[in-house]
Amino acid sequence: MKTTSGYRLVLPPGWVQVPVRDAAPGTAHEVISTAFRKPPEGIPRDAFTSARIELERRLERMIAKAKANGGLELFLACGHAYANPVPASFLVAEGSLGSCDDPLAVVTAIAEAAARDGGKPGQLTALDGAPAARVERIAAPGPEDDQASLRIEYTTPVPGGAGRWMVITFSTLGDGDPAGEYAGLLAELFDAIMSTFRWT
């Protein structure tokens, strides 16, 4: 089996790719400055500058947390819908489960465990030929998140990766209702992005 060196995705307009594993001290500033060059029409420059500084601080914290959890890259929605920012992101992380002779059994167990934990039943799928589990749940507010969010997680073995696994986690607040229609539309967008996933 060939060794996999990475992956690629096709992103729709309005999404930004943020390096996590190779992030430098100025990465958050560079990303926010590039994504938000000038204030939208009707937004005062002072308010825009303050919001940009806060976004930069939040992104710095997100990068640090993602890096500590094996994150490779973070993808942020930086577009707008009806003049409002799109509240969505997803993280690509890698870890190890040790040697595994039957990856399909592992992803099946992950999908089955989702229903037992009170969430939606997990789904078995594939990412460019590799077996994967797709698990969707509503995450309750926590110490770092003051609102509930919709989470979707794809877990898949890295082909030829000798125990390497990839976990891709999507998160959105929706319009304040993580179980609502808007959150569901953003989840569909994420699944559409994942349909373009290819190993390299």
Side-chain angles (χ1 to χ4, degrees), residues 153-184:
E153 195 169 271
Y154 283 81
T155 305
T156 187
V158 178
R164 288 164 56 211
W165 285 72
M166 187 173 282
V167 180
I168 304 163
T169 307
F170 168 82
S171 178
T172 182
L173 302 174
D175 56 3
D177 178 7
E181 182 179 3
Y182 185 47

Side-chain angles (χ1 to χ4, degrees), residues 44-126:
R45 182 163 291 277
D46 288 349
F48 176 73
T49 301
S50 296
R52 211 164 74 163
I53 291 170
E54 178 57 26
L55 282 173
E56 191 175 315
R57 288 179 183 149
R58 285 187 185 184
L59 183 56
E60 283 175 351
R61 292 195 297 268
M62 289 174 73
I63 290 172
K65 182 180 177 183
K67 199 168 192 174
N69 291 326
L72 301 176
E73 290 169 310
L74 180 65
F75 296 83
L76 302 174
C78 291
H80 287 73
Y82 305 107
N84 295 311
V86 177
S89 64
F90 65 95
L91 173 69
V92 179
E94 187 181 295
S96 174
L97 292 180
S99 59
C100 176
D101 294 329
D102 191 355
L104 180 58
V106 174
V107 297
T108 300
I110 291 171
E112 291 174 349
R116 288 198 303 271
D117 292 340
K120 281 188 172 182
Q123 299 173 326
L124 291 178
T125 184

